[in-house]
Amino acid sequence: MTATRGNVLVTGGAGYIGSHACKALAAAGFTPIAFDNLSTGWPQAVQFGPLEIGDLMDRARLDTVFATHQPIAVMHFAALSLVGESMEKPGKYWRENVTGALNLIEAALASGCKEFIFSSTCATFGDHDGVTLTEDTAQYPINAYGGSKKAIEEILKDFAASDGLNHVIFRYFNVAGADPEGQIGELHEPETHLIPIVIDAARGKRDSVAIYGDDYATPDGTCIRDYVHVMDLVDAHLAGLEWRLAGWENRAFNLGTGHGYSVREVIDTVKRVTNVPFTVNNAARRAGDAAFLVSGSERALNELGWSPKRSALETIVRDAHRWHLSGIAETWAAQGRAPAKR
Ligand code: UDP
């Protein structure tokens, strides 16, 4: 692969969002260097540049990778990212997310790399009672996942002041869907996210779907989320990288569509797209869940020129469903994670 515009280090490059970012970077003329410990990522998803296996907790390994590849920028996706798990194991989330980011920032700066694109989350905002969340909304996280990401946002600001670390922060809403060309898609073991779980139920791969709480203060009592297609999300990252390479200021952007769907509406959409009935049960609330997380994304639109193109819920579900039907995820799962089995 010929690097025309330079190397970009993509932590979590073997993971769901990171692998889609690698594809977009390669298409835009960069060489993505995937850095991944393969704890949740898949070497089979690394198709657009080299894979460096390593852990963010290992500073020496990071220094070697920076010295080898001399990246012009970092896209930092690797993190523990499950709201429910973060409530059960807060120490793990704080330690690994924050220490990993610190190691990465310090290794980048030591190598002379000062451009940092960071995956943050709408979970940094907490619960705001049905208010659409803009970049100016106060951040009061209600789970350890959101807390750890907010801490990293603060760390970036401090390193910008002390060392000139340039950065763009993206606060994602709910990422779903898959590469429409079918090369890569979502594969988590175990799966915890709503859309792939509901698709699995429609495919007969699980008996039923559990709705985590139907007594929220929302129109149908279930949680409302703003779903954004993974292809749109990575487009924003490319726009963020161009923003930084053009020398624009450090900035935070929310990435969502401005439209929320309840858990029940997601389930109904999957039923409509797949035309398959399946059992739905009401279950207890999941700790750490906000009732309503919907983005106001005017800043990304006005400043980055970003607008979601594939993020209609039905398109997201169709793309995700096509990926799951392709059987590639099952092949990867059967092969396992050993790089030699690619
Ligand atoms: N959810 C659910 N049943 C499931 C998985 C998720 O009801 O089997 C709900 C979850 O409580 C949340 C929404 O679906 O309100 C989206 O959850 P997901 O884990 O996909 O993303 P998150 O919002 O946690 O990032």
Side-chain angles (χ1 to χ4, degrees), residues 121-129 131-142 146 150 153-154 157 171 173 254 290 292-294 299:
T121 167
C122 60
T124 59
F125 291 111
D127 214 341
H128 286 263
D129 257 351
V131 172
T132 297
L133 305 167
T134 73
E135 291 80 359
D136 299 321
T137 305
Q139 293 172 288
Y140 301 119
I142 59 169
K150 178 168 180 277
E153 291 193 14
E154 299 300 330
K157 286 174 199 149
R171 300 189 190 117
F173 285 67
N254 290 357
F292 180 94
L293 292 171
V294 176
R299 184 184 286 181

Side-chain angles (χ1 to χ4, degrees), residues 81-84 121-123 143 145 172-175 186 191-198 206 208-213 216 222-225 227 261-264 266-267 281 283-291 293:
S81 62
L82 303 178
V83 167
T121 167
C122 60
N143 52 61
Y145 167 58
Y172 309 166
F173 285 67
N174 285 60
V175 188
E186 187 166 16
E191 188 51 79
T192 64
H193 295 105
L194 181 65
I195 289 181
I197 280 180
V198 182
R206 63 174 71 221
S208 61
V209 173
I211 295 180
Y212 297 150
Y216 285 94
T222 68
C223 288
I224 292 179
R225 295 287 181 273
Y227 294 89
Y261 294 92
S262 72
V263 173
R264 279 196 204 288
V266 170
I267 291 170
N281 299 313
R285 289 185 177 196
R286 188 177 66 179
D289 269 344
L293 292 171

